[in-house]
Amino acid sequence: MSSDKFVDKQVAFLYASQTGNAESISHNIYLEAIRRGFRASHHVLDDYRKFNFDSLRTIVFVVSTTGDGDPPDNSARFWRVLRKSSKQSEAYVHLRYAVLGLGDTNYSNFCNTAQRLDKQLEEAGARRFYRKGLADDATGMEDVVEPWIDGLWEKLEEIAECSGKKGEGAEEGEKGEKGEEGEEGEEGEEAKEAEESEEAKEAEEAKEPKEPKEAKEANEANEAEEMNKAASGDQAAAGLGALSLSDADGSAGIPPVVLDFRAMSGLSALTGVPRAPAALCTTAIAPPPPPPAPGARDSAASLPPWHLDICSSSTSDPEQQPFVAVLRSREPLTSDDAVKRTLLAELQLPAPDRTRSRAGDAFNVYAPNDPRKVTALLQQLRLDGKAGGRVAVGSLDERIAVPVHLRRFTTTVGGSAASATSATTVPSATTVPSATTVPSAHTAHTAHAARTAHAAHTVDSVLRWAVDLHQPPKRQALRALADCCADAEDRERLLFLSSRQGTGQYERLRAQSAGVPETLALFPSCRPTLARLLDLLPPLLPRSYSVCNAPQGGRWRFAFNVVEYALEAADPFAQREEQAVVRMERRGVCTPFLAALPLGAPLLVARRPAAFRLAPADVPVIMVGPGTGVAPFIGFLEQRAMQRPLPEAPMWLFFGCRSAQHDFLFRRQLEDAQEAGRLRLSASFSRDGGGAQYGGRGYVQDAMVENGEEIAELMAQGKAVIYVCGDAKGMGKDVNAALVGILVRYAEAHPEWPAQLGVAKMDPAAAAKLLTQWAAEKRYLRDLWA
Ligand SMILES: Cc1cc2nc3c(=O)[nH]c(=O)nc-3n(C[C@H](O)[C@H](O)[C@H](O)COP(=O)(O)O)c2cc1C
């Protein structure tokens, strides 16, 4: 091959993901890249040491945004490194990159991670080779993600060829080379300019009013592109490209024989059906051993069977290493007849000094799927007799590792050769890691190790602990499940559900919180193999809670609403013909688990980076925390009560709930603090108005507006810090809007104030911009959840 025909097909796919969406999307792109002959690698951003970020030349980023415009936890360290290097304007001139951002326009900082990443890379001289994709969970991510991926391949091929054409000189002076400059073509340059001017405008305007428009524009651009792709049949080609011969026979290293479906009419082009994720996993299941002695398996049902592994593994951040805590107490915070049941639980931590707790801390709990869901699924898969059988997961394609959350299952079955290509040997009971790093108070669980060595690798444990059975399946998964139906009608219906035309029914299904077991039950002939199901199910992630006490005595208290509801998963096609109804109780993953856990039971937890830190004692704080959003503020109150001399700066809490009688959380504690002069409490009650003592119905944002002048005074003159904690979609947005209004009115009453800030007119856009500035200065802090 002559040097000018050389094609450099090396590309790294890097992701940052809080709840797994970005991870699974980037993993699917990476799989497709391998199949298309790219020399691809796939890493989480925080593993930057493994992939040597500075030496990469072509990177495709898929990053989500979490919290209040924050990057996911698994990219925290990467940002520090990037910030340092990107201070030099030429640091990344060698790099070509593309960014796909995942976000939700219900949050104020739409796709902030992707935007920030793009900006910082560009400032450091890196070159965007493909337009930025910004996918919106609020309107359906697939609408942006799929066309963005479709368009990516052409650009990747183009830049691979450009690098190749330059032959040996390709590594040097790339930026000035003609081929490189022409990467995006005229269209690409225009898009880039449009983006640049968009960003310039963005800097002028406040984030909040701007973002939904941006998402809309990005979506429109994507839609146009998607139509072009559909016309060329490219979607069908990409979707069916997985059917390469080398995949089927597993022959390593031999270039795959890929059948090109480009010229054939594509099902997805005709119906808007998404492409099914490529098959990756293989599984081998050994016959189950004789049943364990009674109680043996359940004795630590609250811990993943591999918890000792996790506790002793060296994580990159020892602060966030999981450990075993014990449930000490649990009590209701609501009355028996409250609409929502809220519980207060307390955990005993193994070693107080190890946790270095501070008020405002948050932590993760590792909880299993509801065992009833697992049982229902095993029955549907006809695997109920094999639940206790040891399972080995492997990869169909030697070049591709199985996803991280399944790697512990890449073991041989019973010593015989498993079909899993990346299989290693199951650790025997004696090789199970010792519990030296597990705190001594918890070493009782060590004795459990031998028993769990087997349980750690069973069909049951993979479905209980490794994959999420609660999330409604994504449209791509439904598309793939359609191929697992024996009955043509089931198949058609699943295809329809996954398509754009099926959006209405799909949303209906999602609204009913139908997880995979419930969805499968609606399509009785759908029987995916365990391997296919593992391809499709997202990893089961830990759930996060705020600590609601000041750190003392190695204890964490936290409050949670028990998410439990019995709904009927009605057949989404019920209007068309006979009604199919599946009755299954649907619940959250973690809170019913915590609500039912026996006192004294162990559970696996890990610290999370704190969303909030209490301001210094001389800084006034305004706290907005309806419902369980009040939790971190209880910790703040306790912390300030412990400080000497007692802080004089005011603490003002806006609390809200339905009814003073039923769900006024921490009522006694809050009223006592108010009586003692340590707290100003503004409580709002949306249903009963709070009775004579409080009076009047309303929400926290209404109470804020009523007290707008004082709030604005504290913020504008007193340099207060305002914290908001709770539901993002309703409360978070409403409180933000209330604050905008408050600042506008304050400026009308105090015309000198905007001038002091150098603002000509404090209109809503200027007020929103001021809030953004306060957020950057950490004076307006939000911890919001969906
Ligand atoms: C607690 C929480 C906070 C979020 N905050 C934001 C945000 O500030 N801006 C945004 O655009 N999207 C936000 N999102 C939406 C996520 O980015 C979106 O759901 C995405 O698909 C998640 O991808 P991941 O699973 O890879 O983390 C938030 C989602 C959650 C659950």
Side-chain angles (χ1 to χ4, degrees):
M1 196 184 275
S2 72
S3 71
D4 64 345
K5 283 274 173 80
F6 168 80
V7 175
D8 178 9
K9 297 194 86 172
Q10 197 157 6
V11 52
F13 294 91
L14 306 184
Y15 68 91
S17 181
Q18 193 68 23
T19 57
N21 290 340
E23 178 176 358
S24 108
I25 290 170
S26 72
H27 192 251
N28 281 331
I29 306 177
Y30 154 74
L31 297 184
E32 181 63 24
I34 297 267
R35 293 198 166 85
R36 288 175 180 253
F38 285 90
R39 286 195 296 137
S41 56
H42 184 242
H43 297 279
V44 62
L45 274 177
D46 262 0
D47 271 353
Y48 60 88
R49 282 207 187 89
K50 286 192 197 151
F51 55 75
N52 191 2
F53 185 70
D54 289 345
S55 69
L56 296 175
R57 306 203 150 245
T58 309
I59 306 183
V60 175
F61 294 93
V62 183
V63 294
S64 68
T65 299
T66 188
D68 185 18
D70 303 318
D73 294 347
N74 57 15
S75 63
R77 282 174 303 124
F78 168 82
W79 284 98
R80 290 199 284 273
V81 172
L82 183 66
R83 213 173 300 129
K84 268 194 212 147
S85 346
S86 58
K87 283 196 180 125
Q88 308 147 26
S89 61
E90 301 284 286
Y92 292 118
V93 277
H94 58 279
L95 176 65
R96 282 106 15 127
Y97 71 95
V99 181
L100 174 61
L102 308 188
D104 184 329
T105 42
N106 282 305
Y107 293 88
S108 27
N109 295 313
F110 177 62
C111 281
N112 197 38
T113 312
Q115 305 276 31
R116 251 178 80 188
L117 181 65
D118 183 51
K119 192 157 171 270
Q120 275 186 247
L121 289 173
E122 202 170 35
E123 281 169 4
R127 308 186 71 213
R128 191 191 309 118
F129 70 84
Y130 180 42
R131 70 189 159 81
K132 193 166 47 182
L134 301 177
D136 183 1
D137 238 358
T139 55
M141 289 197 302
E142 288 92 346
D143 292 348
V144 169
V145 172
E146 298 235 331
W148 190 88
I149 297 173
D150 289 339
L152 174 70
W153 304 118
E154 199 184 319
K155 297 288 176 193
L156 275 175
E157 296 284 357
E158 270 174 28
I159 60 165
E161 273 176 33
C162 285
S163 324
K165 273 190 196 128
K166 280 172 255 152
E168 285 165 17
E171 309 297 272
E172 262 115 47
E174 280 186 344
K175 200 169 180 181
E177 298 259 345
K178 195 164 175 272
E180 185 83 350
E181 279 199 337
E183 262 169 22
E184 296 197 76
E186 273 174 30
E187 214 183 293
E189 281 305 320
E190 268 170 36
K192 198 170 165 197
E193 273 168 34
E195 269 175 358
E196 277 161 1
S197 65
E198 186 80 355
E199 272 162 22
K201 271 191 273 157
E202 233 171 48
E204 292 304 309
E205 290 171 28
K207 278 181 195 163
E208 197 118 358
K210 176 85 195 78
E211 285 143 4
K213 187 171 154 244
E214 182 174 0
K216 190 167 168 271
E217 281 168 0
N219 289 349
E220 278 165 10
N222 289 330
E223 209 139 348
E225 178 142 331
E226 186 180 25
M227 283 165 77
N228 293 339
K229 290 289 167 202
S232 74
D234 201 30
Q235 281 193 336
L240 299 171
L243 297 176
S244 70
L245 291 183
S246 76
D247 290 343
D249 67 8
S251 47
I254 303 171
V257 180
V258 180
L259 197 53
D260 191 345
F261 288 94
R262 236 166 267 245
M264 305 180 192
S265 69
L267 182 65
S268 54
L270 293 173
T271 64
V273 174
R275 74 170 69 88
L280 171 65
C281 292
T282 62
T283 54
I285 303 171
R297 215 183 84 207
D298 284 342
S299 60
S302 57
L303 291 172
W306 50 81
H307 68 278
L308 294 176
D309 272 347
I310 303 183
C311 292
S312 57
S313 70
S314 59
T315 65
S316 39
D317 187 350
E319 280 270 291
Q320 287 173 38
Q321 178 145 324
F323 59 91
V324 178
V326 170
L327 181 66
R328 272 181 59 97
S329 67
R330 186 178 47 222
E331 60 184 85
L333 284 174
T334 43
S335 70
D336 290 346
D337 45 358
V339 174
K340 274 188 204 163
R341 191 154 67 101
T342 307
L343 300 177
L344 175 68
E346 184 174 282
L347 302 182
Q348 174 70 56
L349 311 188
D353 56 341
R354 208 188 120 153
T355 61
R356 285 188 234 141
S357 302
R358 282 189 283 168
D361 272 343
F363 65 99
N364 283 333
V365 173
Y366 293 78
N369 286 305
D370 183 340
R372 286 171 298 184
K373 274 186 189 275
V374 177
T375 306
L377 190 59
L378 286 168
Q379 278 166 2
Q380 174 104 7
L381 301 183
R382 302 286 190 271
L383 280 178
D384 26 349
K386 295 187 178 168
R390 191 172 287 205
V391 65
V393 180
S395 170
L396 272 171
D397 186 332
E398 272 203 342
R399 297 163 299 178
I400 301 170
V402 298
V404 176
H405 65 285
L406 298 174
R407 277 194 203 151
R408 69 178 59 258
F409 299 94
T410 54
T411 52
T412 50
V413 164
S416 65
S419 55
T421 50
S422 51
T424 54
T425 311
V426 176
S428 69
T430 50
T431 62
V432 168
S434 75
T436 46
T437 59
V438 178
S440 57
H442 302 268
T443 43
H445 303 297
T446 313
H448 194 65
R451 282 201 305 274
T452 56
H454 176 86
H457 300 92
T458 60
V459 174
D460 179 70
S461 66
V462 76
L463 292 178
R464 266 175 93 175
W465 288 97
V467 288
D468 191 331
L469 303 184
H470 290 250
Q471 267 185 44
K474 301 239 170 350
R475 288 189 350 198
Q476 282 170 318
L478 294 175
R479 165 68 190 83
L481 289 173
D483 292 341
C484 307
C485 296
D487 180 90
E489 202 167 42
D490 275 354
R491 176 184 151 78
E492 263 170 36
R493 289 172 169 192
L494 274 164
L495 278 178
F496 182 81
L497 259 191
S498 74
S499 72
R500 198 156 295 132
Q501 294 94 318
T503 302
Q505 276 100 331
Y506 175 61
E507 289 306 330
R508 211 177 137 204
L509 198 66
R510 270 169 62 100
Q512 296 175 85
S513 298
V516 163
E518 294 84 359
T519 306
L520 281 180
L522 288 168
F523 303 95
S525 80
C526 182
R527 199 161 306 144
T529 61
L530 179 63
R532 191 64 181 128
L533 207 59
L534 295 181
D535 284 336
L536 304 176
L537 291 173
L540 180 59
L541 298 174
R543 299 322 201 231
S544 186
Y545 299 92
S546 298
V547 177
C548 67
N549 58 301
Q552 51 186 331
R555 295 191 186 164
W556 278 344
R557 279 203 297 279
F558 64 107
F560 57 96
N561 294 322
V562 186
V563 183
E564 261 172 339
Y565 39 95
L567 280 172
E568 287 178 351
D571 180 352
F573 296 93
Q575 292 146 317
R576 275 186 16 193
E577 34 191 272
E578 84 286 357
Q579 178 118 355
V581 174
V582 176
R583 277 173 218 277
M584 276 193 207
E585 220 181 311
R586 287 189 303 295
R587 337 154 103 215
V589 179
C590 195
T591 58
F593 162 77
L594 290 168
L597 199 62
L599 296 188
L603 73 167
L604 197 65
V605 296
R607 266 175 67 108
R608 282 202 60 200
F612 290 157
R613 281 287 169 241
L614 178 54
D618 58 344
V619 175
V621 299
I622 300 169
M623 303 164 288
V624 184
T628 51
V630 73
F633 308 134
I634 301 293
F636 281 6
L637 263 179
E638 285 189 10
Q639 180 148 329
R640 280 218 168 158
M642 281 165 22
Q643 287 168 350
R644 291 293 176 275
L646 273 176
E648 283 181 13
M651 296 189 91
W652 189 358
L653 172 69
F654 289 87
F655 173 76
C657 62
R658 288 168 162 251
S659 139
Q661 265 192 1
H662 301 304
D663 56 357
F664 192 165
L665 311 183
F666 300 101
R667 179 172 189 165
R668 176 126 39 95
Q669 206 166 334
L670 294 174
E671 289 180 345
D672 285 354
Q674 188 176 32
E675 259 171 47
R678 291 187 288 111
L679 176 73
R680 175 168 174 189
L681 175 63
S682 297
S684 309
F685 304 92
S686 59
R687 298 298 151 98
D688 71 2
Q693 191 181 345
Y694 290 96
R697 282 167 52 160
Y699 297 93
V700 281
Q701 59 271 25
D702 304 324
M704 291 174 73
V705 170
E706 267 173 41
N707 293 281
E709 168 77 17
E710 271 184 275
I711 292 175
E713 186 77 22
L714 275 170
M715 292 300 292
Q717 314 299 343
K719 304 287 178 237
V721 175
I722 182 161
Y723 301 87
V724 185
C725 183
D727 161 55
K729 293 189 179 166
M731 188 277 300
K733 282 198 127 185
D734 293 343
V735 165
N736 197 73
L739 281 170
V740 166
I742 285 170
L743 296 178
V744 169
R745 278 188 295 282
Y746 184 75
E748 283 162 7
H750 304 268
E752 73 291 351
W753 177 59
Q756 284 165 13
L757 295 172
V759 175
K761 186 170 185 277
M762 187 62 77
D763 57 15
K769 194 175 170 192
L770 183 59
L771 287 174
T772 306
Q773 184 192 320
W774 284 347
E777 293 167 2
K778 303 220 178 299
R779 294 187 56 212
Y780 176 33
L781 293 162
R782 302 195 289 172
D783 184 8
L784 305 173
W785 56 77

